[in-house]
Amino acid sequence: MLKYALLGFLSYTSLTGYELENWINVSTGNFWHAKLSQIYATLKSLEENGLVTSHVEPQEGRPDRRVYTITDAGRADLHEWLATPILDSEVKKDGLLLKLFFSYPTGKDAILTQLRLHLDLHRRQLARYRHDAIDALQDAVERVPAIQKDTFMWDMVRRYGEMYEAMYIDWLQQTIEEVQKHFPD
Amino acid sequence: MLKYALLGFLSYTSLTGYELENWINVSTGNFWHAKLSQIYATLKSLEENGLVTSHVEPQEGRPDRRVYTITDAGRADLHEWLATPILDSEVKKDGLLLKLFFSYPTGKDAILTQLRLHLDLHRRQLARYRHDAIDALQDAVERVPAIQKDTFMWDMVRRYGEMYEAMYIDWLQQTIEEVQKHFPD
DNA sequence: TCGCTCATGTAATGGGTTACATGATTCA
DNA sequence: TGAATCATGTAACCCATTACATGAGCGA
């Protein structure tokens, strides 16, 4: 799937692996992300399959850049993927919920500590989506004006991140209260 | 991680791989799941590491059952995991959001069709969490009364599933309206 | 008779993380 | 002086999915 994230961004403009990581972090980071090592490996396999090409740009004082460009075959592959609807909803795994599910034996205090820690994390995350993410969209449009209309959908999914975090915070607050009041001893 | 889901259920009562899949589906299915093939493979490695033991129960007319039982080492490992707090929140990947993010070029109608399809899916899912999941908890307690208190936390995470689906539905509805009214042509 | 439930497993492959390896420039 | 940014990649490993393989009993 990372394949399509990379082809998607390369359909806007040519980029290096390092730059792709940046675009991913600021725009899809909310629901899709990858480590640099995986990005480099995936770009290599995309090139082997003729979906992108690359050339090296020498630089002074810093490492050479390998810039990737999408090919016609790459565009065709991307558009075929975009045109194929997703027919089922995926279950998202959540390690915190799994741990909490079995946590009754650890006791009330340990559970409350864990819940409060995550309340804090998600509050920070929500703030980030509200501020940084919107700025990041602006920056992207300034760098590549052709994608102006694409940002309509970008903002739809950015709103998802906001709603998701707000819901998670809500759930944590409700759960903290429930545990405080009704945890069975 | 599946390791701990299995140890968690086995800490309640001895079970076969097949039964474990069932418990997972009805109780943690909402935020954690696994295929049978992975469950069998993981049980095998748990046994190799001395965290569970197994014995075969012959049956007539149907395949023999291999019943797994948690060991003291298994309980120790489980409780160590439970006592270790999670310090970071994980980003959940969402293929639908990734596709929508790049979907501007596919046009308004294709996007609306995709969104409406998922609205339907999530409405069904929400109904399932509200009815079946609560029944499943009751059944579990009847089979293994010792876990009565554990179900307090079970219900906390069940509520998460409900809130998550409600949020997703909300987002889909808002997004459908936005796309209908303001999609840039 | 067709599909579901019960019941167990192996093998191949894919997707992703962690660790390793290198190194100059810039800013606090 | 130490951390962050820019910049690229390989190798080992782990987790998970898909496909393969088998087969009786039961209810619609």
Side-chain angles (χ1 to χ4, degrees):
Chain A
M1 273 288 249
L2 175 61
K3 170 184 168 180
Y4 293 109
L6 300 179
L7 287 176
F9 287 115
L10 291 174
S11 78
Y12 300 143
T13 183
S14 295
L15 295 164
T16 67
Y18 192 84
E19 287 169 333
L20 277 162
E21 195 212 15
N22 241 304
W23 280 69
I24 286 173
N25 283 344
V26 300
S27 57
T28 70
N30 180 19
F31 53 88
W32 208 273
H33 61 94
K35 309 274 157 152
L36 263 173
S37 62
Q38 198 197 351
I39 291 171
Y40 286 124
T42 306
L43 284 169
K44 198 181 162 187
S45 99
L46 288 175
E47 187 161 31
E48 280 163 12
N49 290 300
L51 305 178
V52 301
T53 55
S54 73
H55 68 274
V56 175
E57 282 182 8
Q59 290 193 125
E60 277 167 43
R62 45 186 55 193
D64 294 349
R65 296 150 46 85
R66 179 176 291 272
V67 180
Y68 287 88
T69 302
I70 195 167
T71 64
D72 288 344
R75 276 181 204 281
D77 195 332
L78 174 63
H79 286 291
E80 197 198 306
W81 176 71
L82 287 174
T84 307
I86 295 175
L87 300 175
D88 295 291
S89 64
E90 328 152 357
V91 173
K92 278 116 208 162
K93 294 188 177 174
D94 189 317
L96 177 65
L97 295 175
L98 184 66
K99 195 169 280 207
L100 288 169
F101 183 86
F102 291 113
S103 282
Y104 168 73
T106 67
K108 190 170 172 169
D109 290 347
I111 291 170
L112 284 172
T113 301
Q114 178 73 113
L115 290 170
R116 289 189 186 119
L117 182 96
H118 281 264
L119 182 55
D120 189 54
L121 286 173
H122 284 279
R123 280 179 172 156
R124 286 164 199 276
Q125 193 58 44
L126 180 57
R128 234 171 289 143
Y129 288 153
R130 288 203 170 135
H131 304 130
D132 305 0
I134 292 174
D135 295 351
L137 291 201
Q138 290 315 114
D139 292 354
V141 176
E142 273 163 43
R143 265 177 293 160
V144 189
I147 60 179
Q148 237 263 300
K149 288 183 173 176
D150 287 83
T151 61
F152 178 80
M153 291 309 293
W154 293 17
D155 198 55
M156 298 295 109
V157 300
R158 187 198 59 75
R159 263 194 321 105
Y160 173 89
E162 224 179 287
M163 288 176 72
Y164 172 79
E165 292 301 331
M167 178 279 298
Y168 215 113
I169 288 166
D170 229 44
W171 177 76
L172 286 165
Q173 285 174 330
Q174 285 178 30
T175 304
I176 287 168
E177 248 189 66
E178 263 300 288
V179 170
Q180 279 174 336
K181 285 189 190 152
H182 304 300
F183 189 80
D185 288 305
Chain B
M1 275 288 249
L2 174 62
K3 170 184 168 180
Y4 293 109
L6 300 179
L7 288 175
F9 287 115
L10 291 174
S11 78
Y12 301 143
T13 183
S14 294
L15 295 165
T16 67
Y18 192 84
E19 287 170 331
L20 277 162
E21 195 212 15
N22 240 303
W23 280 70
I24 287 174
N25 283 343
V26 300
S27 57
T28 70
N30 178 20
F31 53 87
W32 207 273
H33 61 93
K35 308 275 158 155
L36 263 172
S37 62
Q38 198 199 348
I39 291 172
Y40 286 124
T42 305
L43 284 169
K44 198 180 162 188
S45 100
L46 288 176
E47 188 160 30
E48 280 163 11
N49 290 299
L51 305 178
V52 302
T53 55
S54 74
H55 68 274
V56 174
E57 281 183 7
Q59 290 194 124
E60 278 167 41
R62 46 185 57 188
D64 294 349
R65 297 151 44 87
R66 179 176 291 271
V67 181
Y68 287 88
T69 302
I70 195 167
T71 64
D72 288 345
R75 276 183 205 279
D77 195 331
L78 174 63
H79 287 290
E80 198 199 305
W81 176 71
L82 287 175
T84 308
I86 296 175
L87 300 175
D88 295 291
S89 64
E90 328 153 357
V91 173
K92 278 115 208 163
K93 294 188 178 174
D94 189 318
L96 178 65
L97 294 176
L98 184 65
K99 195 169 282 205
L100 288 170
F101 183 86
F102 291 113
S103 283
Y104 169 74
T106 67
K108 189 170 172 170
D109 291 346
I111 291 169
L112 284 172
T113 301
Q114 179 73 114
L115 291 169
R116 288 189 186 121
L117 181 98
H118 282 264
L119 182 55
D120 189 55
L121 287 172
H122 284 278
R123 279 178 172 156
R124 287 164 199 276
Q125 193 59 43
L126 179 58
R128 233 171 290 143
Y129 288 153
R130 288 202 171 137
H131 306 301
D132 304 1
I134 292 174
D135 296 350
L137 291 201
Q138 291 314 113
D139 292 355
V141 177
E142 273 163 42
R143 266 176 292 161
V144 189
I147 59 177
Q148 237 264 299
K149 288 182 173 176
D150 287 82
T151 60
F152 178 80
M153 291 308 294
W154 293 16
D155 198 55
M156 297 296 107
V157 299
R158 188 198 59 74
R159 263 194 320 106
Y160 173 88
E162 225 178 287
M163 287 176 72
Y164 172 77
E165 291 301 331
M167 178 279 296
Y168 215 113
I169 288 166
D170 230 46
W171 177 75
L172 285 164
Q173 286 174 332
Q174 285 178 28
T175 305
I176 287 168
E177 247 188 68
E178 262 300 289
V179 170
Q180 279 174 337
K181 285 190 190 151
H182 304 300
F183 189 79
D185 287 305

